[in-house]
Amino acid sequence: MGTKGRQIVGMDVDELIKLLNQAFADEWLAYYQYWIGAKVVKGPMKDAVASELVLHATEELAHADMLAMRIIQLGGTPIIDPKDWSKFSHCGYDAPVSAFVKDILAQNIKGEQCAIDVYQKLQMLVRDKDPVTYNIVLTILQQEVEHEEDLQALDEDLDSLMMSK
Ligand SMILES: [Fe+2]
Ligand SMILES: [Fe+2]
């Protein structure tokens, strides 16, 4: 733990670590939701959708990595037991019970909208209090916004494809 680095945080560090761990749990569940979704997805444009899901999975995992690094820097421990992911997660996990491409997209759009909410709140909270966390949260938030847009664009393409048939 960096003593000075922890000192400059103008808020309750343990509370911040808790919030970062919740986001960390969200990221792992989002990672798996995308990863398994890409495997099982069926229907029109499934290859295009699967490659987007795989890309998002990779980026969610990178978010988990950034959060873990920050938690450790602050003197905390990232959640060490996957059993705790669901317990700590704010956005939860939606199993792709229906493999239909539009259902999988809808689940992941919902997940992204939850993530945008989480990071927007976190960003407001750490603004002026912890510039290092702020920077990380902003980077992640920008990508979640892109993710939502990517998925909604695919969903629109699907609609036009299905209507033209
Ligand atoms: Fe993420
Ligand atoms: Fe995302």
Side-chain angles (χ1 to χ4, degrees), residues 98-112:
S98 158
F100 181 54
V101 60
K102 275 189 73 79
D103 294 335
I104 289 190
L105 283 173
Q107 284 179 326
N108 288 313
I109 289 167
K110 195 178 119 217
E112 291 298 342

Side-chain angles (χ1 to χ4, degrees), residues 22-34 60-61 64-65 68 78-79 85 93:
Q22 286 175 343
F24 176 76
D26 283 340
E27 292 294 353
W28 271 104
L29 293 175
Y31 164 74
Y32 190 69
Q33 193 174 309
Y34 275 124
E60 308 307 1
L61 196 54
D65 192 82
I79 294 170
W85 289 341
Y93 178 78

